[in-house]
Structures are given as C-alpha cells and as structure tokens.
Amino acid sequence: NNYQYDITIPETVTPDTIKWTVTSIGASAFKDCEDLYSVTLPNTITSIGSSAFSGAKLLSQINLSTNLKTIGAYAFYNCNNLTTIEFPNGITHIKNFAFNSSALMSIEIPSSIIELGGSIFLNCTQLKSVKINNGLRVIPNDAFSDCSNLTHVELPQSLISIGTRAFQNSRIDSIIIPDGVIKIELATFADCDSLKKVIIPESIKIIPYCCFDGCYELKEIEIPKSVASLGMETFGSCTALETVIFSEN
C-alpha cells in the first residue's frame, strides 16, 4: 500500500497494573515493516536486538537513545532509505552486519566503541565519509567492503589491526595507516582503484596476500624497514605503479 507510519516507543508500559521501564528493542521487533518511516526511542533504551529493523525499507529517521550500549547483528540490514545515524557517546558494541546494505552517507564512530562486528557497513554504496575516533583497536573483516563511493577515511591512533577486505572495492584516494597498527590482513585495500597514496607505518612487519591488488592508480609505495615479508600478489594488477622504495633493512 501507499501508507507510511511513525512509531514512538514509550519510556514505560503498564500491563496488568505493573509499570515496566522499556530498556530494549527485541530481536526482529520491526523486521520487514516496509511502511515504517520514522522511530522515536526513549533514553531508557540500552540495546537494540538482532534484526530489529532489518528490511524496514522506508525507514528514514531514528534517534538512538543516549544510553544505548549495544546494536545487535543485522539490526538495520537493508534499510534502503536510512541515510543518517548518530551514535551516542557511550555505545560500546555494534554487531555483525548491523548496517549492511543501508543508505548511510557518512558515519562517525565514537571513542566509547569497544567492538565493531564483521561486515558492519558492507555494501553501503552511498557511504562517502568515515571518521573513527580514538579508542577502537580493531577494524573487522569486510567492515567497509564494497562501499563503492567511500572516498574519505580517518583512522584512530588507537588502532592495532585492520581486517581482511576491510576497505576492498572502496574509492579512497589516500590512506594513512596509524603508527600503532601491527597487522593488516588479506586484501585489505584490494580493488581500491582510486587509491594514489598510502603511508605504511614501521609497526607493520608483514604486508599480506593481495593487500593492494587492483589499486590501478597507485604510482609509488615506500616499504618501511620493519617489513620482513610481502605476500603473493600484494601489488598485483597495480598497472600504474612506477616506484617501489625499500627502506634500509
């Protein structure tokens, strides 16, 4: 039908004369509610369950509780009209695939985040800008893979690891890997065909298989003296690559 509707979740409910505080949105609570347009959450909410709004294709507006701690797996999967989200300071966990295939255009990850789940922003094709504040230590596998319009990324100094295919097939044109990163995984930046500049810190010891494979615009790379091993096809299909500088080791 052509209807769309808004929902306001109350702070308390009183079934059977007993007042209860609403603290969570249950798993699959609004899954596939294709006419749901906006949701207003009370600040009593501390968790959003897995698949809570998955498939809510018209969902365009939702305010997250200032006391929210956890967003479950697939919570906003395939929310095709959700272009903005503001994560509250204090949120600690966002689980696997939480915003996979949503329409988010920019995101800022607060410093309170302890864990991001794998494939969290996979296939967010409208995502253009990502800022991760200091605090996060690991970017998981496929976190921003196939974000085909992602051009700007700010990584925190707290970071120590970047997962497999984390930025594969994005449109970033430069990346500064923070000094504290000790591990980058397979195909982390593969098929980033606009990538022109990479700064690799001396904390990196291994650049693994296919890490920069298919970075057609990459012309120059400097390998720091800390690197002891380059994986197979690390720079495969980098057809514009002209200069490789190996620091004295």
Side-chain angles (χ1 to χ4, degrees):
N1 58 48
N2 294 321
Y3 295 106
Q4 61 185 37
Y5 57 94
D6 310 316
I7 287 181
T8 298
I9 306 296
E11 289 189 359
T12 61
V13 292
T14 312
D16 301 324
T17 72
I18 300 175
K19 182 181 285 188
W20 298 87
T21 300
V22 179
T23 60
S24 66
I25 304 297
S28 303
F30 299 96
K31 183 179 180 180
D32 295 329
C33 290
E34 296 187 356
D35 298 321
L36 179 61
Y37 178 76
S38 73
V39 177
T40 301
L41 300 177
N43 285 329
T44 54
I45 297 291
T46 59
S47 67
I48 296 175
S50 59
S51 299
F53 297 95
S54 176
K57 295 183 178 180
L58 282 185
L59 181 63
S60 300
Q61 300 174 21
I62 185 167
N63 69 299
L64 298 182
S65 162
T66 56
N67 293 304
L68 186 67
K69 301 299 182 184
T70 302
I71 296 177
Y74 293 93
F76 295 94
Y77 169 71
N78 208 25
C79 288
N80 300 144
N81 279 286
L82 187 63
T83 59
T84 61
I85 197 85
E86 185 174 347
F87 298 114
N89 290 322
I91 189 170
T92 56
H93 295 80
I94 308 177
K95 301 295 187 178
N96 297 352
F97 297 92
F99 292 90
N100 183 349
S101 300
S102 71
L104 294 176
M105 299 183 71
S106 67
I107 56 169
E108 181 172 351
I109 304 297
S111 57
S112 57
I113 284 287
I114 295 172
E115 179 190 19
L116 293 180
S119 305
I120 181 173
F121 299 106
L122 172 69
N123 197 38
C124 290
T125 58
Q126 296 187 52
L127 187 61
K128 296 180 179 179
S129 175
V130 172
K131 180 180 180 181
I132 304 175
N133 286 304
N134 210 39
L136 186 70
R137 292 172 63 82
V138 177
I139 294 178
N141 296 348
D142 294 296
F144 301 98
S145 183
D146 292 329
C147 292
S148 54
N149 281 299
L150 179 60
T151 58
H152 178 74
V153 175
E154 293 182 43
L155 301 179
Q157 289 300 314
S158 57
L159 204 62
I160 62 170
S161 177
I162 305 176
T164 299
R165 299 178 303 275
F167 294 96
Q168 184 176 24
N169 194 32
S170 68
R171 293 294 173 268
I172 53 175
D173 58 8
S174 66
I175 193 74
I176 299 173
I177 301 174
D179 289 338
V181 173
I182 59 176
K183 191 174 186 180
I184 48 179
E185 298 282 6
L186 311 181
T188 298
F189 299 101
D191 302 316
C192 292
D193 55 13
S194 297
L195 187 61
K196 298 180 177 67
K197 180 180 179 182
V198 179
I199 297 179
I200 302 173
E202 292 195 356
S203 51
I204 295 291
K205 296 181 178 181
I206 298 172
I207 303 178
Y209 174 76
C210 283
C211 190
F212 296 97
D213 181 45
C215 295
Y216 301 125
E217 296 293 321
L218 190 62
K219 293 185 177 181
E220 180 177 315
I221 189 76
E222 181 172 354
I223 310 297
K225 61 184 179 181
S226 60
V227 172
S229 174
L230 295 178
M232 292 179 60
E233 300 182 50
T234 299
F235 299 100
S237 301
C238 292
T239 53
L241 189 60
E242 298 174 347
T243 304
V244 178
I245 302 170
F246 290 92
S247 297
E248 188 175 338
N249 188 345

